C-alpha cells in the first residue's frame, strides 16, 4: 500500500540578512519577511507582512523550535551586551500576540563586565485551540550605554574568531499530531 500523509505540516524560516540597529531594551519581532528565507512551508501559511506562521489546524499539536543570535551593535572591541532575551509569541485570534515560551541570558557580571553576543534557543510542544493561531519570534537586547543591538543571521556574525557559518536565527514549526 501507499502511505499518504494529508496532515503533514512543517515550516522553517531562516534569517538570511542580519537585522541591525534595533532599539536598545525594546522587544523586536524578527523580520523574517524582509530579512529571511522560507526553507519549508508545506501549507503555504507564512504571513511575511507580520513575520508569523499561521498554524494549519485548530486542534493540532505542534513542536515549535527557535534559535536567535543577539549581539551588541558596537565595534567588537567595545562590547556592550548586558542582557539578551527571546520569546516565541502566539496570537490565537491572529493579531494579538502573547508570550508562549522563551529564554533569557544575563551577560553582565557583578563587576560590570559585559559580553558581545548571546545565542538563545528552545523547543516547546503547543496544542492549537483556534484556526487563527499565528506564531512569531521576538528578541531583545539590553546594552550598556543604550547602544542598539543586532539580530544576527549566522554563527560567525556573532563572534570574533569563529569561522562556522551555520544559521543562528530561525523558527521551525512541525505538526506532530
Amino acid at each position: 500500500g501507499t502511505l499518504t500523509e494529508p496532515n503533514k505540516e512543517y515550516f522553517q524560516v531562516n534569517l538570511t540578512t542580519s537585522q541591525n540597529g534595533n532599539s536598545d531594551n525594546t522587544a523586536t519581532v524578527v523580520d523574517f519577511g524582509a530579512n529571511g528565507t522560507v526553507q519549508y512551508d508545506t501549507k503555504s501559511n507564512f504571513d511575511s507582512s507580520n513575520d508569523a506562521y499561521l498554524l494549519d489546524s485548530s486542534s493540532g499539536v505542534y513542536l515549535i523550535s527557535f534559535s536567535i543570535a543577539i549581539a551588541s551593535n558596537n565595534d567588537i572591541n567595545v562590547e556592550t551586551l548586558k542582557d539578551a532575551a527571546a520569546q516565541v509569541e502566539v496570537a490565537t485570534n491572529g493579531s494579538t500576540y502573547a508570550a508562549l515560551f522563551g529564554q533569557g541570558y544575563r551577560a553582565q557580571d557583578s563587576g560590570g563586565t559585559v559580553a558581545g553576543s548571546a545565542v538563545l534557543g528552545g523547543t516547546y510542544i503547543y496544542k492549537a485551540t483556534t484556526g487563527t493561531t499565528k506564531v512569531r519570534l521576538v528578541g531583545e537586547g539590553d546594552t550598556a550605554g543604550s547602544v542598539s543591538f543586532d539580530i544576527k543571521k549566522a554563527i560567525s556574525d556573532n563572534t570574533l574568531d569563529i569561522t562556522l557559518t551555520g544559521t543562528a536565527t530561525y523558527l521551525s514549526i512541525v505538526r506532530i499530531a
Side-chain angles (χ1 to χ4, degrees):
T2 301
L3 176 63
T4 61
E5 298 179 82
N7 293 327
K8 181 173 26 176
E9 177 183 2
Y10 52 94
F11 167 79
Q12 180 158 328
V13 62
N14 303 321
L15 196 65
T16 51
T17 302
S18 293
Q19 187 175 329
N20 300 324
N22 303 292
S23 296
D24 183 53
N25 213 21
T26 302
T28 303
V29 176
V30 177
D31 189 359
F32 288 117
N35 298 314
T37 299
V38 174
Q39 186 171 2
Y40 306 107
D41 189 354
T42 58
K43 299 294 184 176
S44 299
N45 283 349
F46 181 55
D47 176 358
S48 61
S49 62
N50 291 302
D51 302 301
Y53 179 75
L54 173 66
L55 301 180
D56 196 57
S57 170
S58 62
S59 61
V61 178
Y62 292 86
L63 184 65
I64 302 171
S65 300
F66 78 93
S67 176
I68 187 169
I70 297 174
S72 64
N73 191 280
N74 266 5
D75 180 287
I76 195 97
N77 297 313
V78 189
E79 299 175 327
T80 61
L81 187 65
K82 296 189 308 183
D83 297 289
Q87 67 186 24
V88 170
E89 297 180 337
V90 297
T92 56
N93 66 359
S95 61
T96 305
Y97 288 89
L100 180 61
F101 71 102
Q103 286 204 354
Y105 173 72
R106 177 74 173 158
Q108 185 174 24
D109 66 15
S110 62
T113 302
V114 294
S117 63
V119 179
L120 306 168
T123 301
Y124 189 83
I125 295 175
Y126 178 74
K127 171 83 165 82
T129 57
T130 70
T132 56
T133 300
K134 289 185 178 181
V135 180
R136 70 182 185 184
L137 180 59
V138 175
E140 183 173 340
D142 180 15
T143 61
S146 299
V147 177
S148 60
F149 72 94
D150 298 339
I151 299 173
K152 297 296 190 177
K153 66 178 175 73
I155 297 166
S156 57
D157 292 342
N158 224 38
T159 63
L160 180 60
D161 292 323
I162 299 298
T163 60
L164 300 176
T165 58
T167 299
T169 301
Y170 64 85
L171 177 65
S172 297
I173 301 170
V174 177
R175 183 171 176 193
I176 58 175

